[in-house]
Amino acid sequence: MSSCEWMNDRIIDAAMTLIKKEVPYIWGLESCLNASTSHGFSRAQGSFIQILNRDPKGGGSHWLTLSNMKLKTKSEIKIFDSGFTSISFPVQEAI
């Protein structure tokens, strides 16, 4: 990968696989492609981290990170988005 290429799903999935090996007790870290399927992501039973594409159906070039770690309730979700824009309906469905 050259320094001017966008990160793709293979790179994101590889990074999540490495993180999962280091912290296997964290839920999430599933393939980012799950956001574009009818199956979606597994329901987390505790603390989770998940990375997904801002445009999961169309495969855009911007990535979001979701987590409920260090929040008061596990039903809350923090969205980390350097784009600071509203979340599309497909992303809301994936969440």
Side-chain angles (χ1 to χ4, degrees):
M1 181 171 141
S2 75
S3 61
C4 62
E5 291 182 47
W6 293 105
M7 291 176 50
N8 60 36
D9 58 288
R10 292 183 309 273
I11 294 167
I12 297 295
D13 281 354
M16 288 192 292
T17 298
L18 292 172
I19 295 168
K20 189 71 171 178
K21 286 181 181 178
E22 291 296 314
V23 285
Y25 53 87
I26 298 293
W27 287 81
L29 300 169
E30 298 178 25
S31 173
C32 57
L33 297 176
N34 288 2
S36 62
T37 67
S38 60
H39 172 268
F41 297 108
S42 301
R43 183 174 297 274
Q45 304 297 315
S47 295
F48 80 93
I49 300 170
Q50 183 62 52
I51 301 172
L52 70 149
N53 197 286
R54 171 172 276 296
D55 187 9
K57 304 275 189 217
S61 59
H62 186 79
W63 298 91
L64 307 174
T65 301
L66 312 173
S67 181
N68 67 350
M69 295 181 69
K70 297 191 177 187
L71 296 176
K72 291 181 182 179
T73 68
K74 295 303 176 196
S75 61
E76 292 180 69
I77 297 174
K78 186 90 167 173
I79 301 169
F80 299 91
D81 176 10
S82 63
F84 303 109
T85 59
S86 61
I87 296 173
S88 68
F89 184 69
V91 171
Q92 291 177 34
E93 284 183 312
I95 294 170

